[in-house]
Amino acid sequence: ADRIEFWFDSYSMSNRFKLGKKNKDFRLKTDTNIYSFNVSLGDLYNEQTTKVKVSTSNSLDEAQSNAAKLIKAIAMRSDRGYSIKLRIPFAFLGFNKPPLESKPIEYGLTIVVKDIDNPYKQGELTVMASSQNFDQSQPASYGGILFIQDKQYYGSSNNILT
């Protein structure tokens, strides 16, 4: 992989509906609260630095601008492939505190992996997305990510902020 994109919709799943006059419908336009984190992996063989480019549909306030300086990505090779870690402060996404409630809450997220095996043949780009029919301009096509309280999750997680 050459680049990984993380597309995040900070509307909770319950608020990802757009209310019409007659019924509820999914948001089909990128209006607000969309964040894109474009992680360039660099050269993992020669340990070139991993870089993150951030874009959003929102204007950033001072707290978000300060939090943007703390966004970090790390990519490493392992015997099983590659490991990518991305640190995004909740403050950058517009949250005053982690959005953890008494029950799990779901937000929109799609991860897109882009790979170019031959940089001289750009037509040989391979793209894989974690959501079927993903369209970055349509939040309704995003997959989901659950934020779960401590001790209520199944599996493992590592805090890379410490």
Side-chain angles (χ1 to χ4, degrees):
D2 296 301
R3 186 172 70 224
I4 299 179
E5 299 172 356
F6 296 81
W7 290 87
F8 183 80
D9 181 0
S10 66
Y11 280 119
S12 67
M13 190 60 91
S14 61
N15 292 326
R16 288 176 66 197
F17 290 98
K18 185 174 185 176
L19 296 175
K21 291 183 179 181
K22 296 181 180 178
N23 60 4
K24 291 183 175 182
D25 197 5
F26 282 107
R27 288 173 42 235
L28 296 177
K29 287 196 263 179
T30 303
D31 44 12
T32 59
N33 296 336
I34 302 296
Y35 299 88
S36 170
F37 305 91
N38 189 329
V39 180
S40 296
L41 301 179
D43 185 348
L44 297 175
Y45 294 100
N46 296 321
E47 298 183 13
Q48 279 186 340
T49 307
T50 303
K51 297 177 183 169
V52 181
K53 180 181 175 187
V54 179
S55 58
T56 179
S57 59
N58 295 355
S59 296
L60 299 180
D61 61 25
E62 185 177 349
Q64 288 175 302
S65 294
N66 290 334
K69 297 171 189 169
L70 301 174
I71 295 172
K72 183 178 179 183
I74 298 171
M76 298 167 283
R77 283 196 57 161
S78 70
D79 56 346
R80 297 184 339 196
Y82 300 93
S83 173
I84 289 101
K85 296 180 180 184
L86 177 63
R87 176 179 70 183
I88 306 165
F90 285 113
F92 178 77
L93 300 172
F95 299 111
N96 294 329
K97 60 180 184 165
L100 300 173
E101 300 179 0
S102 59
K103 60 182 181 177
I105 186 167
E106 185 174 355
Y107 292 91
L109 176 73
T110 292
I111 301 169
V112 180
V113 177
K114 295 187 175 182
D115 185 43
I116 300 173
D117 289 329
N118 186 343
Y120 300 106
K121 294 183 179 181
Q122 294 294 322
E124 294 182 8
L125 172 68
T126 302
V127 179
M128 296 177 289
S130 62
S131 302
Q132 186 177 9
N133 300 323
F134 172 67
D135 181 343
Q136 66 193 37
S137 66
Q138 293 189 355
S141 71
Y142 291 23
I145 185 170
L146 284 174
F147 288 102
I148 302 173
Q149 289 276 6
D150 282 340
K151 310 223 185 318
Q152 292 182 0
Y153 57 85
Y154 175 80
S156 64
S157 174
N158 295 322
N159 182 354
I160 65 168
L161 293 176
T162 57

